[in-house]
Amino acid sequence: MDTIKECFDTILCGDKETSRLAARGVRKLVYSSSASGKEKYEEIAALVRTAPENYAQISEDWRQENFVMATSVIYFLHDRENQPDFLFPWLFQLLQHSNGYIRHAAVKMICHEIGPLTYHIRFPHEKSNWHKFSPEQANRILYSLSASLNGLLSVLWQPKYKRYKYIDSLPPSPYKSVQMVLAELEDSCQEQNLNWK
């Protein structure tokens, strides 16, 4: 497999072992110097943009895992800097998956967006030349993210979680994954006393 698109085609159509190998091969291709620049990134952006639709057509658990893990490797190269929450509905679905690898990939992708969204909070006197959304837009997204995460926590709550003092000590579960994202969000927003906390 010489291109990222070929890897994703194999992930979606290959047998279990070739799908697994293709998913692991995506990282090598993303960071290799042999792939052409602009074409490679346009292809990646298209793959990320269509990820929820492609994922919805996958029935096998192992193929879902391979697909999500490969998507998490290329996710940061999406072309939606003006709309950083474009995949949040899908990622919230993944946070509730029974497979821990899928949940971990979802945590990674959501946390990737928290950095840019909280830039204006962490660096209040600097303007970002990279991000294409205003501090007001970022605050709206952050508020929505916080509300959604807290809502999800209340749905996933079980009395057994009361005995755990730290997030790291929680048993692997969707509840723990949501707590991890919420902790990252709160850490990144600690400089500012936001009304939504």
Side-chain angles (χ1 to χ4, degrees):
M1 291 163 277
D2 298 325
T3 68
I4 291 168
K5 184 170 183 341
E6 287 177 6
C7 285
F8 271 84
D9 289 343
T10 302
I11 290 167
L12 293 172
C13 300
D15 63 40
K16 192 171 184 175
E17 183 59 19
T18 56
S19 176
R20 185 186 73 77
L21 293 173
R24 275 64 179 170
V26 168
R27 181 177 302 281
K28 292 176 190 171
L29 287 172
V30 167
Y31 296 107
S32 74
S33 59
S34 61
S36 63
K38 187 175 181 186
E39 182 180 333
K40 177 169 97 170
Y41 295 113
E42 287 175 0
E43 184 178 272
I44 290 171
L47 287 168
V48 173
R49 233 184 348 264
T50 59
E53 295 84 27
N54 291 329
Y55 176 83
Q57 297 173 17
I58 301 171
S59 57
E60 303 97 335
D61 289 342
W62 54 267
R63 196 180 304 277
Q64 288 177 344
E65 178 183 317
N66 293 337
F67 181 81
V68 173
M69 289 180 66
T71 301
S72 73
V73 171
I74 64 171
Y75 176 79
F76 75 99
L77 295 167
H78 66 72
D79 62 350
R80 296 286 182 98
E81 277 69 33
N82 61 336
Q83 191 185 5
D85 58 341
F86 76 108
L87 284 184
F88 280 8
W90 180 56
L91 297 177
F92 271 66
Q93 176 189 350
L94 298 181
L95 280 176
Q96 300 172 68
H97 201 282
S98 60
N99 184 311
Y101 292 111
I102 290 175
R103 289 194 313 271
H104 178 74
V107 168
K108 179 178 157 184
M109 289 185 272
I110 294 173
C111 288
H112 172 77
E113 296 302 343
I114 291 175
L117 285 168
T118 58
Y119 185 89
H120 69 287
I121 296 169
R122 293 176 291 118
F123 305 102
H125 303 296
E126 295 181 28
K127 179 165 174 33
S128 171
N129 295 329
W130 177 254
H131 309 111
K132 300 176 182 174
F133 47 84
S134 70
E136 293 77 21
Q137 289 171 302
N139 281 341
R140 279 194 298 275
I141 294 169
L142 290 168
Y143 176 81
S144 177
L145 178 60
S146 176
S148 297
L149 289 169
N150 280 301
L152 202 49
L153 280 181
S154 65
V155 169
L156 297 171
W157 167 255
Q158 295 179 24
K160 68 181 179 181
Y161 297 139
K162 194 182 283 190
R163 70 181 129 177
Y164 297 99
K165 186 174 180 180
Y166 301 106
I167 294 171
D168 285 347
S169 62
L170 283 166
S173 64
Y175 182 81
K176 180 178 182 176
S177 297
V178 174
Q179 281 283 19
M180 291 169 68
V181 176
L182 195 56
E184 178 70 24
L185 179 62
E186 289 174 354
D187 284 350
S188 296
C189 293
Q190 67 184 349
E191 299 297 319
Q192 182 173 329
N193 184 14
L194 298 174
N195 292 332
W196 48 266
K197 278 192 165 185

